[in-house]
């Protein structure tokens, strides 16, 4: 039988996301107030675990952070300890250094590691569980593309930022009779574009799951003109692509487990449309990391708090190797073995896409 947990360590990995601090706070408060556990946090994700760099997490350290985006523990989306860049004989080589992490956990007397992250970070969490470490996962990503949970925290905050941007673009687009493009995040899944597009009353939503045809977008702009609407708003996910084209890559981040960074589709589309739409100026805005920064939405504060409390309850019940998740209205859990690599894309036949189409939004298809 697993021994009684007395000391919990937390880490946050991958791209940051609103709600990380709320989870850190909820785990720490529940662990201390309900169970009297000791809590520490490793800095910079798995790198901190490798370097044994941690801070104590107390009621004081987690005070005043509920609403703040980012993570007081910092994060890294490069450090996979199962394939880690180390210097050996003057050369940089990739090695499995996970045993160093296991040793550090032992030295520190950590009974359970709570890992807050997306698919990459949770893959390592599963691999540490396979090495016998007591691990609990908490799913995060603004992209909302993890299949095992109905919602990841951070998504609602990102959608709110994108919706506000669309509201702001509307007023200026209308004044100048312009076509305005807004590029939002979403590499493989178009959830942010879809939901902000509906909430922010976009005329066209372009997502990776529904490849677009430029002529259909031009048609939609023309239809609006006939209705006397002399401006149009297009929200485009960074991973959107045309029927015969490919995604637009902005940079390659070496050492990242997922090195391709997308970006630039809105500018490309603006140039493409300029050739076909003569009587309007076209402008594009790239929302970028504003979608991940700033304050956490009320929905995400509550979801993150629920996840944090649930993570500690799993520890108390010794249900290790699991990830907390939301199914419908209920907080539940799923084995880390089953959650990895299962992504959740927008189903082109889903109710939400149909809703958008019903009210006249075009997907450019
Ligand atoms: O997965 C979250 C995400 O925000 C994506 O939507 C985006 O493509 C990517 O991370 C950006 O990563 P980085 O912050 O490393 O540029």
């Amino acid at each position: 039988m697993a021994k009684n947990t007395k000391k919990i360590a937390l880490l946050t990995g991958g791209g940051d996301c609103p709600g990380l601090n709320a989870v850190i706070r909820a785990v720490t408060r529940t662990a201390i107030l309900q169970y009297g556990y000791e809590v520490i946090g490793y800095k910079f994700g798995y790198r901190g675990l490798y370097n044994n760099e941690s801070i104590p997490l107390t009621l004081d350290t987690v005070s005043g952070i509920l609403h703040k985006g980012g993570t007081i523990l910092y994060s890294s989306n490069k450090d996979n300890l199962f394939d880690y860049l180390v210097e050996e004989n003057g050369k940089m080589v990739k090695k499995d250094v996970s045993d160093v992490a296991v040793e550090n956990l032992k030295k520190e007397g950590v009974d359970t590691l709570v890992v807050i992250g997306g698919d990459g970070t949770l893959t390592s969490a599963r691999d540490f569980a396979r090495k016998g470490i007591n691990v609990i996962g908490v799913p995060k990503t603004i992209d909302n593309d993890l299949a095992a949970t109905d919602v990841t925290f951070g998504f609602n905050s990102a959608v709110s930022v994108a919706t506000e941007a669309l509201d702001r673009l509307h007023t200026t687009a209308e004044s100048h009779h312009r076509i305005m493009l807004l590029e939002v995040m979403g590499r493989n899944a178009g959830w942010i574009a879809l939901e902000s597009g509906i909430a922010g009353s976009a005329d066209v939503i372009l997502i990776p799951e529904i490849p677009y045809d430029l002529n259909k977008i031009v048609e939609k702009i023309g239809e609006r003109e006939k209705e006397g609407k002399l401006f149009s708003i297009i929200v485009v996910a960074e991973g959107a692509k045309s029927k015969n084209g490919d995604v637009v890559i902005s940079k390659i981040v070496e050492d990242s487990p997922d090195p391709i960074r997308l970006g630039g589709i809105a500018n490309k589309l603006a140039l493409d449309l300029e050739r076909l739409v003569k009587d309007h100026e076209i402008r594009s805005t790239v929302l970028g990391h504003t979608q991940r920064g700033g304050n956490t939405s009320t929905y995400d504060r509550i979801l993150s708090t629920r996840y944090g409390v649930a993570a500690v309850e799993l520890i108390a019940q010794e249900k290790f190797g699991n990830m907390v998740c939301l199914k419908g209205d209920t907080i539940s859990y799923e084995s880390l073995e089953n959650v990895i690599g299962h992504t959740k894309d927008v189903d082109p036949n889903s109710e939400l896409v149909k809703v958008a189409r019903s009210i006249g939004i075009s997907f450019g298809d």
Side-chain angles (χ1 to χ4, degrees):
M1 209 177 94
K3 66 176 174 149
N4 201 11
T5 300
K6 293 283 190 286
K7 190 168 181 178
I8 300 175
L10 279 176
L11 66 82
T12 51
D16 73 343
C17 157
L20 287 169
N21 281 329
V23 178
I24 295 168
R25 173 180 179 268
V27 168
T28 305
R29 289 184 65 85
T30 309
I32 293 172
L33 296 175
Q34 303 307 322
Y35 295 99
Y37 298 157
E38 192 184 339
V39 191
I40 63 166
Y42 285 108
K43 289 163 84 176
F44 302 107
Y46 289 113
R47 196 197 321 163
L49 178 53
Y50 177 69
N51 293 327
N52 210 3
E53 210 184 333
S54 67
I55 55 166
L57 291 174
T58 63
L59 296 180
D60 269 353
T61 11
V62 300
S63 173
I65 65 168
L66 171 63
H67 63 291
K68 288 185 184 163
T71 160
I72 61 164
L73 293 177
Y74 311 112
S75 191
S76 159
N77 55 8
K78 290 188 177 175
D79 302 303
N80 173 6
L81 300 185
F82 293 85
D83 191 27
Y84 195 62
L85 205 58
V86 286
E87 198 182 324
E88 218 172 53
N89 306 323
K91 273 193 188 155
M92 296 309 285
V93 289
K94 287 217 162 178
K95 279 185 73 170
D96 179 348
V97 296
S98 57
D99 283 341
V100 177
V102 171
E103 244 349 273
N104 285 343
L105 288 169
K106 270 196 200 133
K107 262 192 270 170
E108 200 61 47
V110 171
D111 299 275
T112 304
L113 182 64
V114 177
V115 173
I116 313 166
D119 203 50
T121 309
L122 293 171
T123 301
S124 291
R126 178 204 60 192
D127 294 343
F128 277 114
R130 285 180 179 173
K131 284 176 91 82
I133 300 298
N134 294 335
V135 180
I136 300 293
V138 182
K140 70 91 229 188
T141 166
I142 63 162
D143 296 347
N144 198 34
D145 60 355
L146 294 184
T149 185
D150 286 357
V151 190
T152 52
F153 69 83
F155 171 63
N156 179 272
S157 303
V159 171
S160 306
V161 172
T163 303
E164 195 195 330
L166 287 169
D167 289 347
R168 288 175 184 275
L169 287 176
H170 260 94
T171 55
T172 173
E174 194 165 6
S175 307
H176 291 275
H177 293 173
R178 281 176 172 158
I179 313 297
M180 293 290 211
L181 289 138
L182 179 71
E183 180 175 315
V184 297
M185 283 185 172
R187 285 176 290 185
N188 308 308
W191 293 106
I192 298 176
L194 176 62
E195 293 210 1
S196 67
I198 295 172
S201 182
D203 306 299
V204 180
I205 298 174
L206 303 176
I207 58 175
E209 296 87 343
I210 307 178
Y212 64 83
D213 173 346
L214 205 58
N215 295 316
K216 296 286 180 189
I217 303 173
V218 176
E219 249 172 52
K220 176 69 187 175
I221 294 167
E223 272 168 30
R224 281 180 53 78
E225 269 189 6
K226 279 190 205 131
E227 290 165 14
K229 303 271 177 60
L230 300 177
F231 70 97
S232 289
I233 304 284
I234 301 170
V235 58
V236 53
E238 61 184 353
K241 48 186 175 299
S242 72
K243 284 189 171 158
N244 40 23
D246 216 340
V247 289
V248 181
I249 294 173
S250 79
K251 67 192 296 191
I252 304 288
V253 181
E254 301 294 346
D255 306 338
S256 171
D258 197 356
I260 295 174
R261 294 293 179 275
L262 301 181
I265 180 74
N267 286 337
K268 181 193 164 339
L269 259 171
L271 293 173
D272 290 346
L273 284 171
E274 247 160 19
R275 283 188 279 105
L276 301 170
V277 182
K278 291 295 170 214
D279 343 328
H280 297 280
E281 281 188 67
I282 302 178
R283 292 286 192 274
S284 60
T285 302
V286 179
L287 213 44
H289 290 81
T290 58
Q291 291 159 97
R292 286 199 344 216
N295 281 348
T296 305
S297 71
T298 47
Y299 178 91
D300 281 336
R301 292 180 203 186
I302 294 168
L303 181 61
S304 303
T305 301
R306 292 173 79 192
Y307 278 163
V309 171
V312 179
E313 295 305 336
L314 284 182
I315 295 169
Q317 294 160 28
E318 301 189 350
K319 289 185 174 154
F320 304 117
N322 289 306
M323 182 190 86
V324 297
C325 56
L326 182 73
K327 300 276 186 202
D329 290 334
T330 311
I331 295 288
S332 167
Y333 63 91
E334 185 79 58
S335 166
L336 280 166
E337 288 293 339
N338 300 335
V339 305
I340 306 306
H342 298 291
T343 50
K344 180 183 60 185
D345 296 341
V346 173
D347 175 357
N349 298 313
S350 62
E351 186 249 3
L352 215 48
V353 172
K354 284 184 188 151
V355 161
R357 290 194 197 275
S358 298
I359 57 167
I361 295 174
S362 164
F363 283 84
D365 60 338

